[in-house]
Amino acid sequence: MMLNPSDGLPDDRKSLYPQSQSSAYKCGDKTSPISVILVSSGSRGNKLLFRYPYQKVAECPSSLSAKQRNPYVLNTSGDELDDQDGDSREQSPLTDEQLVAGFSDIVLSTILATKSDMCGKKFELKIDNVRFVGHPTLLQHPPIIQVSKTDPSPKREMPTMILFNVVFALRANADPSVISCMHNLSRRIAIALQHEERRCQYLTREAKLMLAVQEEITTTETDGSPQSPFRQILPKCKLARDLKEAYDSLCTTGVVRLHINDWLEVSFCLPHKIHRIGDTYIPPEALERSLKAIRPYHALLLLENEKTLLSQLPLDCSPALIRLIKTCSAVKNLQQLAQDADLALLQIFQIAAHLVYWGKAIIIYPLCENNVYMLSPHANICLYSPLAEQFARQFPGHDLPSMLAKFSLPVSLAEFRNPLEAPTQEAQLIQMVVWMLQRRLLIQLHTYVCLLVPPSEDEPGLRDEDPPLAARVGGRSLSTPSALSFGSPTSSDDMTLTSPSMENSSAELLTGGDSPLNKRMTETLLASLSEHERQFILNIPAAQNPEDLRMFARLLHYFRGHHHLEEIMYNENMRRSQLKTLFDKFRSVLVVTNHEDPIISIFQSPMD
Amino acid sequence: MGKKLIGCPVCIEHKKYSRNALLFNLGLVCDARTNTCSLEPIVKKLSGYLTTLELESGFISKEESKQKLLPIMSTLLEDLNATGACTLPIDESNTIHLKLIQLRKDPPIVQEYDVPVFTQCKDHFIKSQWDLTTQQILPYIDGFRHIQKISAEADVELNLVRIAVQNLLYYGVVTLVSIFQYSNVYCTTPKVQSLIDDKSIQEECLNYVTKQGQKRASLRDVFQLYCGLSPGTTVRDLCSRYSQQLQRVDERRLIQFGLMKCLIRRLQKYPVKVIRDERSRPPRLYTGCHSYDEICCKTGITYQELDERLENDPNIVVCWK
């Protein structure tokens, strides 16, 4: 950016900026790109091959047009950015369109076509309010260039392209995660283009077409009326249409699917557009954290109906994916799904994470009658919302607000059951609950339990100094097969289809008999407590029953408020009634509360 | 390289220079991963200053004054990294002052039924540094008065109060909670566990909620009280059920702290008029978009009155969220 103190801008040009600013803001929000640009650098210098949209681009920095005061002035090398090839740049008169659009083609080609040693890395450049992000890629030509028979160009000598860069221009204040996603897309397109170039010189051919159209337009522009060469390029070049499609998709749905040269598929999704609840989006890092924490007792809920989803898949997609989609259901947990679809649990996790990332599914706790649901704080309960309309169409005779009102207080599905009603009513209720879960209107509440022993009366100070149980027992890791890292799968030993294996298997404690072994185990487990706590617990009437005490000691490490009832049931293979009775017996030292599961609540409500 | 470069190049064209132009650029080198938005205004300001200096006295082009650049740059680097502010004396008549300003998120819109509460002790703030409107409303911000009430009692126009509080929100001086009533219903959020896990929040909480002049409340009592809040339970119910735990705890401050730290959340009531006949007018306020708090504030009726009105209307359902 150049600051020219002796700014000789005529007044009418100055007034253009507010206008171009307002029109630039019309297109999309912070997660949408402002423009897509393709530049190349080669033996003929730096070229801007294509840009879209060609009318409204970045906000114009006032100083840039200072250079373009007079459209007939030659561009001198007062430009301090070096032209690495040292070639003279072709001079073309700048049209009004290009001026209004902010950065001119020539400036863009200079700044975006980098040197070769910046290739293969992330490229990011911010100028005032615009941020350019791309992945410059080096092209390697085979030593003998075959002149393709289908090459339309009459010239025998092929100007070589050394590198190219697919650049997305974003608003400067875009989120870093959006920037790295755009870089990812640029890289994907670059890989496809590089491959096609090696195979059949696709990029060189498209570039030639683009440049030919640009030259044609400038030479025929004798009457001074500006035409955008890029508009003419679109019908002639597939690559230009692909780039335009990428831009349009990014601005609307966030899902990009291109077929470079009608051959290579490039697919990409922008999580910020897909995972939106109202106005806010779920940041991808939060999404990934949640996905890493899913457990075999969770379930996968598809957000679209099975047929629609299957039709969206490419022809050569993995059969495992198809099998999973066909077998998954809201009442089946992932472990059951693995058995039914005949796939390894690890694979199920990976495919599930993939579907969630692409916004095709969410993670829930499998539907069962003991599940307790409540209205989500972010649910749109407005009478005139599009959701209300959809609901009325899907379930005639019912209206959404009345249904939602039923979930004002936490209610379990069992409470809806009416033995006098026909079973179809119940089935419809399940469908309605699934519908509401898919649209993030409901959250599920779980019971969490925390051990807090009443402080001793005589030594109040001591109690407060004891670190809470959570801190003391923190070292133990509950490693049920859950670890899912993107990239390095855990060993398949952990991912068995049989019962979960726990490192600190407290299942070793035999439930029968009061053997000295069991007693010692109980003592060891209680050893992590302070003396006062242990005494208090042992004095509880329920503790006199060795079975109960043993169960309590065994489950001690769950009582930190981070594991809900269903998780304990799953890990320890216990019944709900057993646990509830235990909690009741030891209620003088346990504090129980209900709230949503923070791991999967991200799918219902964005991070606050 | 892993580094980020921030610069603002300047070009001064004049015949006296040996190429008819002087080009210079004072830049900052930072780690690629850091957020450098707040450094940009500094770079811009510096380039503006240097340009002026050059135009006035040829600061950069003259050899003697150019030497001064080195100590200036090292002071800049050290002071900005140490304190975020620096003063650069150039010569007898010129000094440059620079300061890093933190960019904050845009604050939400403040509604008339929101209640501002100070995040730190009120006395920490020097009143005279704030604008007149803020100074006038400061004494009325007690964590219990809502915006409408503050406006009425401080005799300041409602929108001015909203803007002033929004400004305080921007700087993190206050945060917003909801109106307190004994009929309110709250429920816990997953963050409530942080009371157990995080020692500093524990300390802060116990100090905040203990009744004046009493021995410090125990963690167990306070945690039990928070966990006792659940849908369907009003604060009044809580007080009668947990009277023993409340001996040393001020329930109003308990709720306030819980809301400020997001350990609990308020469940608001939203009436929705489920349309039954075509002839009646479409509902204006009973659409599910306006809570009881908002309706009562706007229309001036009390909760009880609104409750009575709506309970007798079979066309209206109430959602809690």
Side-chain angles (χ1 to χ4, degrees):
Chain A
M1 189 194 95
M2 306 284 263
L3 264 184
N4 195 331
S6 53
D7 202 351
L9 273 176
D11 283 296
D12 57 334
R13 269 227 193 101
K14 274 198 183 122
S15 65
L16 280 173
Y17 311 135
Q19 277 177 18
S20 62
Q21 246 187 3
S22 58
S23 61
Y25 278 120
K26 251 192 278 167
C27 62
D29 51 331
K30 278 198 295 188
T31 54
S32 298
I34 305 174
S35 171
V36 62
I37 303 156
L38 175 64
V39 298
S40 74
S41 169
S43 59
R44 279 233 189 126
N46 300 328
K47 300 264 186 265
L48 180 117
L49 296 173
F50 184 69
R51 72 196 283 186
Y52 184 80
Y54 28 77
Q55 263 135 359
K56 42 181 169 83
V57 192
E59 287 103 54
C60 185
S62 53
S63 49
L64 254 184
S65 45
K67 253 201 305 182
Q68 299 132 19
R69 270 167 289 175
N70 188 339
Y72 302 102
V73 165
L74 271 172
N75 240 345
T76 57
S77 51
D79 193 338
E80 68 172 23
L81 297 160
D82 284 333
D83 174 21
Q84 64 264 30
D85 290 335
D87 293 346
S88 62
R89 263 167 269 129
E90 277 150 42
Q91 187 54 50
S92 54
L94 304 160
T95 64
D96 275 344
E97 214 167 299
Q98 287 161 335
L99 286 174
V100 167
F103 294 90
S104 73
D105 292 359
I106 299 213
V107 168
L108 277 180
S109 64
T110 314
I111 55 180
L112 298 178
T114 61
K115 289 193 195 301
S116 336
D117 53 4
M118 281 189 71
C119 288
K121 286 184 276 201
K122 180 176 178 187
F123 168 81
E124 196 178 325
L125 173 65
K126 177 168 170 309
I127 298 183
D128 277 348
N129 291 327
V130 184
R131 194 183 290 264
F132 299 100
V133 62
H135 191 88
T137 309
L138 214 50
L139 286 177
Q140 285 137 2
H141 283 278
I144 305 161
I145 298 171
Q146 309 282 359
V147 176
S148 162
K149 287 202 176 68
T150 59
D151 192 320
S153 159
K155 300 197 188 97
R156 299 240 110 229
E157 170 211 299
M158 305 248 282
T160 50
M161 191 189 299
I162 298 175
L163 61 88
F164 69 94
N165 197 359
V166 177
V167 177
F168 289 99
L170 307 167
R171 280 182 225 298
N173 57 359
D175 208 59
S177 52
V178 175
I179 299 169
S180 63
C181 283
M182 293 296 185
H183 167 243
N184 194 345
L185 177 57
S186 166
R187 199 164 140 251
R188 288 189 196 198
I189 298 178
I191 291 173
L193 284 174
Q194 193 183 40
H195 182 273
E196 283 302 283
E197 174 67 14
R198 276 203 206 112
R199 192 175 70 90
C200 56
Q201 288 89 51
Y202 174 66
L203 185 59
T204 313
R205 278 186 284 137
E206 292 287 293
K208 243 213 291 266
L209 276 169
M210 289 173 178
L211 289 171
V213 174
Q214 283 184 37
E215 281 175 25
E216 201 185 297
I217 298 289
T218 51
T219 49
T220 58
E221 188 198 297
T222 45
D223 51 0
S225 62
Q227 284 182 60
S228 174
F230 306 114
R231 202 197 299 260
Q232 308 300 322
I233 289 177
L234 271 177
K236 297 196 179 144
C237 283
K238 173 78 176 22
L239 181 56
R241 288 196 295 279
D242 283 337
L243 291 175
K244 172 181 186 294
E245 194 191 312
Y247 173 83
D248 288 336
S249 310
L250 284 172
C251 287
T252 49
T253 59
V255 178
V256 176
R257 281 185 79 174
L258 305 173
H259 290 90
I260 301 288
N261 200 13
D262 286 323
W263 180 242
L264 283 184
E265 182 176 331
V266 174
S267 57
F268 172 82
C269 82
L270 190 61
H272 307 79
K273 281 245 147 67
I274 295 181
H275 305 278
R276 286 190 97 100
I277 298 171
D279 279 334
T280 30
Y281 61 77
I282 304 175
E285 311 84 51
L287 204 64
E288 278 178 32
R289 261 200 313 268
S290 275
L291 287 174
K292 286 189 190 172
I294 53 176
R295 306 292 186 90
Y297 59 73
H298 283 134
L300 192 67
L301 177 66
L302 294 178
L303 291 180
E304 291 171 15
N305 103 12
E306 187 188 299
K307 274 210 198 64
T308 326
L309 190 51
L310 286 172
S311 65
Q312 289 171 1
L313 297 174
L315 288 169
D316 57 349
C317 76
S318 136
L321 179 59
I322 299 181
R323 247 187 303 170
L324 184 142
I325 292 175
K326 286 196 172 148
T327 32
C328 94
S329 125
V331 298
K332 241 183 259 191
N333 69 27
L334 293 174
Q335 186 163 40
Q336 285 170 313
L337 187 59
Q339 282 171 327
D340 291 351
D342 197 21
L343 295 164
L345 191 58
L346 176 60
Q347 218 180 350
I348 295 281
F349 274 13
Q350 287 172 337
I351 301 178
H354 181 78
L355 285 170
V356 169
Y357 185 80
W358 280 79
K360 304 296 179 193
I362 54 172
I363 303 289
I364 58 166
Y365 188 82
L367 242 56
C368 80
E369 65 175 29
N370 284 311
N371 284 358
V372 173
Y373 293 102
M374 193 170 84
L375 265 191
S376 159
H378 302 272
N380 182 352
I381 51 179
C382 191
L383 189 57
Y384 304 118
S385 70
L387 284 176
E389 229 179 303
Q390 285 171 21
F391 187 85
R393 264 180 293 159
Q394 184 102 0
F395 305 102
H398 297 263
D399 66 285
L400 187 57
S402 306
M403 194 63 204
L404 290 175
K406 295 199 177 126
F407 287 95
S408 288
L409 281 180
V411 60
S412 73
L413 293 181
E415 286 172 51
F416 281 108
R417 196 184 286 183
N418 186 346
L420 299 171
E421 271 178 2
T424 47
Q425 292 274 42
E426 200 181 307
Q428 198 184 43
L429 173 76
I430 304 286
Q431 279 179 352
M432 286 199 255
V433 169
V434 169
W435 191 95
M436 290 193 280
L437 279 172
Q438 284 171 329
R439 280 138 193 94
R440 338 245 179 171
L441 295 170
L442 297 177
I443 52 173
Q444 185 175 355
L445 298 181
H446 296 273
T447 307
Y448 289 81
V449 124
C450 196
L451 178 77
L452 268 180
V453 174
S456 59
E457 290 310 317
D458 38 318
E459 296 171 66
L462 205 62
R463 176 68 192 89
D464 285 345
E465 275 157 33
D466 280 340
L469 182 68
R472 279 176 276 151
V473 185
R476 282 171 164 228
S477 57
L478 296 169
S479 60
T480 41
S482 61
L484 176 70
S485 53
F486 292 89
S488 52
T490 49
S491 82
S492 51
D493 291 340
D494 292 335
M495 305 292 173
T496 58
L497 292 179
T498 53
S499 61
S501 54
M502 276 202 36
E503 269 180 15
N504 318 305
S505 181
S506 51
E508 290 157 15
L509 276 181
L510 310 162
T511 45
D514 194 17
S515 64
L517 181 66
N518 279 344
K519 241 192 184 142
R520 209 172 321 133
M521 289 227 162
T522 313
E523 276 164 21
T524 328
L525 287 166
L526 291 178
S528 55
L529 302 171
S530 73
E531 184 57 41
H532 160 73
E533 287 172 331
R534 206 179 338 191
Q535 281 308 314
F536 197 97
I537 291 172
L538 292 171
N539 285 335
I540 299 173
Q544 305 318 313
N545 176 343
E547 295 256 352
D548 286 342
L549 183 62
R550 202 178 308 127
M551 205 193 299
F552 182 87
R554 179 176 128 201
L555 301 178
L556 196 60
H557 56 267
Y558 289 111
F559 300 154
R560 314 184 250 157
H562 293 289
H563 305 273
H564 54 69
L565 194 81
E566 283 82 6
E567 182 169 349
I568 306 176
M569 277 167 59
Y570 179 82
N571 287 349
E572 300 294 320
N573 214 9
M574 292 174 67
R575 285 190 308 278
R576 188 180 293 265
S577 51
Q578 274 181 297
L579 276 173
K580 286 207 145 151
T581 320
L582 184 73
F583 292 163
D584 194 49
K585 286 184 182 162
F586 285 90
R587 66 180 173 280
S588 50
V589 293
L590 295 175
V591 182
V592 171
T593 182
N594 296 325
H595 54 73
E596 59 271 29
D597 183 350
I599 295 174
I600 57 176
S601 74
I602 193 185
F603 299 111
Q604 270 73 43
S605 45
M607 306 299 262
D608 293 310
Chain B
M1 225 182 9
K3 296 276 180 286
K4 212 192 280 198
L5 296 147
I6 310 172
C8 185
V10 178
C11 168
I12 304 177
E13 289 175 16
H14 198 279
K15 284 205 206 359
K16 69 180 184 187
Y17 299 117
S18 67
R19 267 190 182 190
N20 295 332
L22 176 71
L23 293 105
F24 63 90
N25 188 355
L26 181 69
L28 299 177
V29 180
C30 312
D31 194 52
R33 284 169 305 237
T34 51
N35 185 339
T36 51
C37 298
S38 35
L39 286 173
E40 287 169 28
I42 290 193
V43 174
K44 261 201 168 146
K45 206 173 177 188
L46 267 174
S47 80
Y49 277 137
L50 289 174
T51 313
T52 315
L53 281 171
E54 171 61 24
L55 288 174
E56 281 178 8
S57 55
F59 185 72
I60 299 178
S61 44
K62 297 211 182 94
E63 277 308 317
E64 328 80 69
S65 44
K66 198 149 84 164
Q67 305 302 325
K68 287 198 200 150
L69 276 175
L70 192 52
I72 287 176
M73 282 161 64
S74 43
T75 317
L76 182 70
L77 179 66
E78 283 159 18
D79 288 355
L80 274 185
N81 277 332
T83 57
C86 75
T87 304
L88 305 168
I90 307 289
D91 51 32
E92 310 82 47
S93 42
N94 291 315
T95 318
I96 303 178
H97 299 278
L98 295 167
K99 185 170 179 188
L100 272 173
I101 307 282
Q102 280 296 350
L103 285 172
R104 295 168 199 262
K105 268 192 342 186
D106 283 341
I109 298 177
V110 175
Q111 304 285 2
E112 53 215 346
Y113 46 86
D114 283 325
V115 175
V117 58
F118 277 104
T119 50
Q120 294 160 40
C121 179
K122 218 184 210 182
D123 307 321
H124 282 167
F125 303 108
I126 305 168
K127 283 183 76 167
S128 52
Q129 281 185 346
W130 296 94
D131 60 275
L132 290 174
T133 312
T134 309
Q135 282 184 38
Q136 201 167 338
I137 62 172
L138 271 179
Y140 297 91
I141 299 181
D142 60 353
F144 297 109
R145 288 190 177 88
H146 56 286
I147 299 289
Q148 207 181 46
K149 199 167 186 186
I150 294 176
S151 159
E153 289 185 17
D155 197 23
V156 179
E157 203 252 317
L158 185 68
N159 277 325
L160 282 180
V161 179
R162 286 171 66 178
I163 295 172
V165 171
Q166 195 177 33
N167 191 34
L168 291 174
L169 252 185
Y170 178 79
Y171 287 104
V173 172
V174 301
T175 181
L176 296 178
V177 297
S178 68
I179 299 174
F180 178 83
Q181 289 179 107
Y182 280 95
S183 57
N184 280 359
V185 173
Y186 300 90
C187 70
T188 50
T189 68
K191 284 217 184 98
V192 75
Q193 303 296 346
S194 63
L195 203 53
I196 304 293
D197 300 334
D198 187 335
K199 189 83 181 168
S200 59
I201 295 188
Q202 236 178 68
E203 291 292 317
E204 210 186 323
C205 178
L206 295 178
N207 286 332
Y208 197 88
V209 308
T210 307
K211 269 188 190 151
Q212 296 279 14
Q214 294 263 14
K215 201 170 63 150
R216 215 166 83 136
S218 78
L219 177 64
R220 181 162 195 272
D221 286 347
V222 170
F223 192 69
Q224 263 189 318
L225 284 167
Y226 278 127
C227 293
L229 288 168
S230 64
T233 307
T234 62
V235 181
R236 202 175 289 123
D237 294 338
L238 186 82
C239 291
S240 55
R241 253 180 246 168
Y242 291 89
S243 52
Q244 191 258 321
Q245 285 84 345
L246 280 168
Q247 276 172 7
R248 289 185 265 163
V249 173
D250 177 347
E251 64 268 14
R252 290 170 53 149
R253 284 175 77 87
L254 177 82
I255 300 288
Q256 213 177 54
F257 187 86
L259 288 173
M260 278 164 65
K261 299 289 176 187
C262 302
L263 308 177
I264 56 175
R265 65 183 170 91
R266 168 95 186 274
L267 287 172
Q268 300 263 15
K269 276 167 96 160
Y270 291 83
V272 189
K273 183 162 189 146
V274 183
I275 299 175
R276 291 295 151 100
D277 59 49
E278 299 296 320
R279 286 172 291 124
S280 62
R281 274 174 312 164
R284 194 176 52 92
L285 284 175
Y286 303 154
T287 55
C289 303
H290 307 280
S291 64
Y292 262 46
D293 273 9
E294 192 181 339
I295 297 175
C296 290
C297 241
K298 285 205 160 87
T299 58
I301 59 179
T302 67
Y303 263 60
Q304 283 96 313
E305 283 170 18
L306 186 59
D307 251 343
E308 278 166 33
R309 268 194 221 185
L310 296 180
E311 255 162 52
N312 295 331
D313 190 337
N315 294 339
I316 295 195
V317 299
V318 173
C319 293
W320 292 76
K321 67 164 185 171

